[in-house]
Amino acid sequence: YASTLIDIASYGFVVAAHRSCIYVIAGDPSSECDMGLASFLEALKVIDHFANGPASTSDAAPVDFSQQVAVGGHSTGGRIALMIAAIRDSRRYLANTTYSRQLDANDGALRRAAAKVGAVAGLHADDMRDPLCNPDVDGFRDAITSTPVLLDTNPDDFEVRDSKEWWNFLNVRSPSKIFMETVRGQDGHMEPISFGLEASWVARFAQSFALGNTTARGLLYGDCPDCLRHSPLVLQRRTLPSGEEV
């Protein structure tokens, strides 16, 4: 992910990636972090660390924590981003799971971390209909009501054939959301690792909604030559396996 993270950082962000929960396969009992179901807690711990650790705002990582933060990730990381958005917007989500107690621990420290999130981006995110990926499928439906969400995939993604990413998108109720697909022939599901074609648009999405950058928002939603809708790296229209056009 180095090139993707460097590209995002070039837009003025401090990009932090946790090194825990490295080995995660949904449904594999040998996987870390409850087979990935608890991976979202690691991202929230990173935000909480920056909020409360004086050393985290040193010259090595000069974070302006008066601003909101953005959370993004690929595959399991995309699932993490969607789960954090749902936690931010709905107390109902995960309420009947063991994770609710962890969110409420330490006077709700991890819920406060989620509240700092101003935007999320899910790149080729896991299927949120799958209980092996999402511990509260029913609670997730319509839980994201205000957090801005960008979802990205690729028609060559081996997991796209059941339109999972489109289902994820339809169950986001935020007024600000974007569904995009990068062009074919770019390594399918692994494209964010191999190429990171969407990195600049993830950065602009974060600038727009976490930092209130109106220029970035214009590039996302406008009709200029350099705007997202005219990017040569993004598909303009495609028919999904379900028959729906996006």
Side-chain angles (χ1 to χ4, degrees):
Y1 295 108
S3 62
T4 297
L5 301 182
I6 290 170
D7 195 357
I8 293 171
S10 73
Y11 285 79
F13 291 100
V14 172
V15 181
H18 61 81
R19 291 283 296 171
S20 49
C21 299
I22 299 298
Y23 176 68
V24 170
I25 299 177
D28 183 344
S30 67
S31 288
E32 298 175 281
C33 296
D34 290 352
M35 300 179 288
L37 291 174
S39 293
F40 72 96
L41 293 169
E42 305 306 297
L44 291 175
K45 290 173 187 175
V46 170
I47 299 172
D48 180 60
H49 171 75
F50 277 97
N52 296 294
S56 65
T57 56
S58 67
D59 292 341
V63 176
D64 178 3
F65 220 74
S66 67
Q67 303 279 3
Q68 292 183 301
V69 302
V71 174
H74 167 236
S75 197
T76 298
R79 176 217 309 181
I80 289 171
L82 288 170
M83 291 179 70
I84 288 175
I87 292 164
R88 176 188 184 272
D89 291 352
S90 174
R91 294 282 303 197
R92 177 173 59 91
Y93 181 58
L94 299 180
N96 297 318
T97 71
T98 58
Y99 306 117
S100 181
R101 291 195 298 274
Q102 296 177 69
L103 291 169
D104 291 333
N106 300 316
D107 197 28
L110 297 186
R111 289 196 187 275
R112 289 196 301 275
K116 283 291 294 182
V117 174
V120 303
L123 313 181
H124 303 246
D126 289 340
D127 190 344
M128 300 303 284
R129 300 169 296 184
D130 185 350
L132 292 178
C133 296
N134 180 4
D136 187 7
V137 175
D138 289 338
F140 177 79
R141 290 185 176 91
D142 303 332
I144 304 174
T145 56
S146 62
T147 305
V149 175
L150 182 150
L151 290 178
D152 155 84
T153 188
N154 184 294
D156 294 331
D157 190 330
F158 63 87
E159 294 183 352
V160 154
R161 54 182 173 265
D162 63 354
S163 302
K164 69 177 177 66
E165 208 68 77
W166 188 239
W167 186 92
N168 291 348
F169 182 74
L170 292 179
N171 278 273
V172 171
R173 300 304 181 189
S174 303
S176 299
K177 61 179 184 176
I178 291 177
F179 179 86
M180 60 179 279
E181 290 190 310
T182 53
V183 294
R184 291 183 181 276
Q186 305 295 331
D187 212 12
H189 185 72
M190 307 307 288
E191 180 277 323
I193 298 175
S194 303
F195 298 98
L197 300 178
E198 58 282 277
S200 63
W201 296 109
V202 171
R204 289 174 178 130
F205 193 78
Q207 285 180 328
S208 175
F209 292 104
L211 304 182
N213 187 316
T214 56
T215 300
R217 191 168 306 191
L219 290 168
L220 290 167
Y221 292 102
D223 196 22
C224 64
D226 294 329
C227 289
L228 173 62
R229 69 182 61 202
H230 296 302
S231 171
L233 301 178
V234 176
L235 291 176
Q236 302 305 309
R237 182 170 289 274
R238 187 170 75 86
T239 301
L240 295 174
S242 63
E244 296 171 283
E245 282 203 349
V246 298

